[in-house]
Amino acid sequence: NFVTGPGRTLGQALIESPEVDGVTFTGSFDVGMKIFRDFAAGRWVRPAILELGGKNPAIVSRHADLERAATGIVRSAFGLQGQKCSACSRVYVEKPVADALRALLVEKTRMISVGDPTLRQHWMGPVINEAAFGRYRKCVENLRQHGAELVGGETLDRGDLANGWFV
């Protein structure tokens, strides 16, 4: 069964129930590890499949259709503001096509419209909460301190974007 609900009550009750034979979970590392520990503390071993946010790579060879590769990478990396377990977080690319792919990625990233995601013209909405906003800012600052070239990197907090965690 697919069950949704508050983790602290419904989720914990399911984990503690001897009638639950196994569990799959997609979410944060901390919650996943708590589930793992609680599930393992029972009277018998029960299977647990935990997707705790991987480092999903894209691999681009010299034979790839670079336009399609760049589109896929941008959609995966920035779809749902990059806040999904399957978000592309790294790219491995063969040197002969690295510069051309980089140029396409920059071009496509510059075209992302950030704003109210219920409006069709905006492709990216806010990050989930203040903590995610803070992690974003810390990451951007770290990249800048190490001399990285950034496309974007700003926080957006004026006008229509003042009420949310837009980056």
Side-chain angles (χ1 to χ4, degrees):
N1 295 311
F2 177 77
V3 181
T4 61
R8 289 198 170 119
T9 53
L10 176 62
Q12 193 61 41
L14 289 169
I15 296 305
E16 293 172 359
S17 172
E19 295 183 27
V20 174
D21 296 324
V23 64
T24 61
F25 170 78
T26 299
S28 73
F29 177 83
D30 292 337
V31 172
M33 290 307 294
K34 180 175 181 350
I35 289 171
F36 179 74
R37 285 187 206 92
D38 289 354
F39 213 55
R43 291 176 35 187
W44 61 89
V45 176
R46 298 178 287 170
I49 300 170
L50 307 170
E51 164 50 65
L52 308 180
K55 293 295 177 194
N56 304 308
I59 301 170
V60 182
S61 79
R62 69 185 79 208
H63 306 291
D65 177 332
L66 296 184
E67 180 68 32
R68 287 181 63 198
T71 297
I73 290 166
V74 168
R75 286 180 180 169
S76 178
F78 298 109
L80 299 175
Q81 297 69 249
Q83 301 177 123
K84 56 182 180 160
C85 293
S86 61
C88 178
S89 58
R90 59 186 70 199
V91 178
Y92 298 105
V93 58
E94 284 192 274
K95 282 187 187 246
V97 295
D99 289 339
L101 179 64
R102 185 178 299 111
L104 283 168
L105 290 172
V106 167
E107 174 188 323
K108 291 180 180 301
T109 301
R110 288 188 195 283
M111 293 172 31
I112 294 173
S113 175
V114 179
D116 179 348
T118 64
L119 301 176
R120 189 172 188 88
Q121 71 264 26
H122 300 301
W123 193 76
M124 203 166 126
V127 294
I128 192 167
N129 58 27
E130 186 174 12
F133 187 75
R135 284 190 302 273
Y136 173 85
R137 291 176 64 186
K138 185 177 178 180
C139 181
V140 167
E141 182 56 35
N142 185 38
L143 288 167
R144 285 190 174 129
Q145 286 177 357
H146 288 87
E149 286 184 47
L150 299 176
V151 174
E154 294 84 31
T155 56
L156 309 171
D157 56 5
R158 294 194 175 113
D160 292 341
L161 306 181
N163 296 313
W165 306 110
F166 293 92
V167 298

